[in-house]
Each structure stands twice: as C-alpha cells, then as structure tokens.
Amino acid sequence: MGNSGSNSLGIPRGKGPNQVGCTDLMVEHTVKGSFLRLYYPCVESPDAEMPFWIPSKEYFTGLADFMKINRSLSERIFTYLYGSFKIPAAIDAPFKPNGKYPLIIFSHGLGAFRTLYSAICSEIASQGFVVAAVEHRDESASATFYFQEKSVTEEENQQGTYKTTVAAESNLEKVWMYYRPVEPGEREFPLRNKQVKQRADECIKALDILTEINSGISVTNVLQSRFDWTTIENSLDMCRTAIMGHSFGGATVIESLCKEFRFKCGIALDSWMFPLDDEIFPRVKQPILFINSERFQWAGNIIRMRKLDSSTIPRKMITIRGTVHQSFPDFTFLTSHWIGKILKLKGELDPQVALDLSNKASLAFLQRHLSLEKDFSQWDPLLDGHDDHLIPGTNINILQSSI
Ligand SMILES: CCN(CC)CCN(C[C@]12C[C@](c3ccc(C(F)(F)F)cc3)(C1)C2)C(=O)Cn1c(SCc2ccc(F)cc2)nc(=O)c2c1C=CC2
C-alpha cells in the first residue's frame, strides 16, 4: 500500500508481552443475538494469518451510505485505499491460558463497526486483557449482518421437495443491516436515545455470554470458526470487567455503567454525550475516565460530562493535544499524512504517540479501578494530564461560551 514518507502505513501491533489472537463470535443467529470480535492473549503463532481489517465489501457499502457518497464509486475507492490492510492479530490462534484475564467490552462509534478500533483493542489485549469488541445492531453501524431462516416456500421452490433441516444452521441466510441516517424532519434525540439503550443491552448481553462460556456452559457459534471456545473456560476474571467505547460508544459506556454494576469502571474516548438522558448522570456510581481529542469537544458536550463530576467517585478527564475525533479509530494509521489531514483523520500529533498516551492512561486507570497487580501505575501521572501532549481536564472554556 502507499507509503507515508519514512514508515509504511499499517495498524501498529500491541506493545505488551502477549501476542494477540482474534476470533469472531455470533451467538443466536438473529438480529437480537450477540456479535463480537474477541482480541485475546494467544500462544505464539508466528505463521498464523492475520484477518483483513474490513471483513466484507458490504462494510465499504455501509461506509459510503454513512459518508453520504455514491456506493459503487466509493466501494472501489475504499477497496483500493483500504482493501488489503490486515489487523495485527493472529486469526483463531490458540488461547494462552495464564490465570484469569480481566475483560473489557468495547463499543464502536456511529458509522463504525467491530474491526475499526483494532489498534486499541490489540494493544490492551497484548497487555494481558481479553477484549470483546461488540458489533451493534441498532442501525448505527455502517453495516452489520445476522442470519434468518430461509422461508420454507423458498426451500421447496429450490429443491422441489420439503427438506427437513437436520442442522438448523444449514437453512440460514445472511442478512445485511446498513447505517440508518436520521430522516429529514426526524428529531435526532429519540432515535439516538433508543439506540444508546439498545447498545448498552448488547454490551451487557456480550458480558452475559462470555460469563457463560467462562463457567463452562457451551454456546454455539453461528459463524464457521476453528477457534475452540472451551479453551477460555475459567480464564476470565469476571470480577474485573470494564467497558470502553469511542464517541457514540462513549455514551454507551455511561449508559452501560448505569445499567450494569458488573462493569467496575468505564473509559469513554471522545464521548458523544447527546444520546443520554439527563436523569442517568446521578445514577452512575462507577469510576469513569474521559479521554478527549482537542478538536471534537464543544461546551454543551463538556457540560454534560461535568454532570458526572464527583467528590466521592473517581472521575478523570484528560485532553490529548493535536488530536482529532478520528485519532482513536484505526483510519488514523491507514491514511497518508496529507489525505489524513484533509479528511480530518489525523491531527498534528503523530497517531502512534497519540494512541500510546490514550492506551497508557487507560491501562493506569484500569489498574487502579480493577485492582490489577501490574506495572501500569507507572502511567498514573498521565491521568492528571502530566505530559507535554496532555491537558488535564479540557481545553474548552465552558464558563464564558454559550451553552
Ligand atoms: C457526513 C456524515 N456525518 C454522519 C452523521 C458525520 C460523519 N462523522 C465524521 C466522520 C467519520 C468520518 C470519516 C470516516 C472514514 C473516512 C475514510 F475515508 F477514511 F473512510 C473518512 C471520514 C466522517 C469523519 C461522524 O459521524 C463523526 N462521529 C463518529 S465517527 C466514527 C467512525 C465512523 C466510521 C469510521 F470509518 C471510523 C470512525 N462517531 C460517532 O459516534 C459520532 C460522530 C459524530 C457524532 C457521534
């Protein structure tokens, strides 16, 4: 792929001591089921293949819808620009049993989907976590898919005679769900509020399914995958679970913390607070870390984050100088400098430096609030904004500016 000057483009590997594997899980084939990509510490597998960053072309189709650009033209452009990038993880590699790993549920942003934050997810996994990046079916993802039974009549037509299906899965057909824009004249809040509630339910459902797998209950993975899910039995520390998300996924973090006390803390990356009801803020009891970009925030959004300020519950906010909203998803690593700047996919700050700061602050916060015995506390100063590229709190002055 095209090089941006010295270093070629690509999603950086995790820096931690563990090699990272990844595998997809869909439990219950319907739209109400759970769909996630698991990033996990894996057995060293040097010759394992890495999955494509964009799993199917339908995701480019959905991205075009989201970006309001022509489907066929952009499918070709996206395929040319991004079609061959891989995720830095070994597909279906054997899980590395090593005591109990803490679990992170990750929620993607508006118009994104489960694979677009693999730099963050694989870094966290490489540091000794299991990370489940859910794919939401609330029509906020650019695209997602599920299955439904083929109608019997269709089957009869095809085979002439009615075939009793032995394996239920054999008569399933894949159905694609694309991004649903706000219709002209439609009020955005009711839609986004309904979606954030569904998103939280989907994160909790993923937690439930992983809890079942951890306790030895066997679940059927609708997707054909070689990964042996029984190998993670008793390897998740279900007392050390947290939730992370970007933008709309940040609002999903707040909603999920409010609904589910099993999430011990939350990390909201450039959170978009608009979809949340005002009345939930006093009901969130867990620690929260807000990591903001310099350019995405505005007074109204910061004011809503500040409603979560507390003298008793640990609440932290830092802003990374020279970053933009897209400094968190993987695109920031995959677009050359100038295109990235023009499309606002890159800020002034080197994407690797920006993500290192975000990940290290996240790890320090997780160590503190999941009481981990790691050395992540070395990055505690970042939580107070002690770094040349960090601002403690926010750069948005909410006193003078109008709300
Ligand atoms: C005109 C469209 N209009 C839709 C409502 C606004 C579109 N928009 C700004 C964009 C996403 C952008 C983007 C992507 C990808 C390329 C590419 F060329 F690299 F593919 C370029 C340009 C277009 C920057 C945002 O929505 C920002 N945003 C996001 S962006 C999450 C995302 C989505 C797709 C990705 F591929 C990567 C990341 N997640 C949120 O939760 C929220 C917001 C705003 C409020 C809440």
Side-chain angles (χ1 to χ4, degrees), residues 110 188 192 246-248 250-251 269-276 296-298 301 305 325:
L110 185 72
E188 183 164 19
R192 301 302 182 207
H246 171 244
S247 202
F248 201 172
L269 305 175
D270 235 7
S271 191
W272 183 45
M273 303 297 282
F274 171 76
L276 296 168
F296 180 74
Q297 295 303 334
W298 60 96
N301 207 49
M305 288 184 197
H325 200 46

Side-chain angles (χ1 to χ4, degrees), residues 63 66-67 78 82 109-111 116 247-248 272 326 331 345:
L63 261 178
F66 174 62
M67 311 275 288
F78 284 146
Y82 305 112
L110 185 72
L116 293 190
S247 202
F248 201 172
W272 183 45
Q326 298 308 318
F331 273 107
L345 294 168

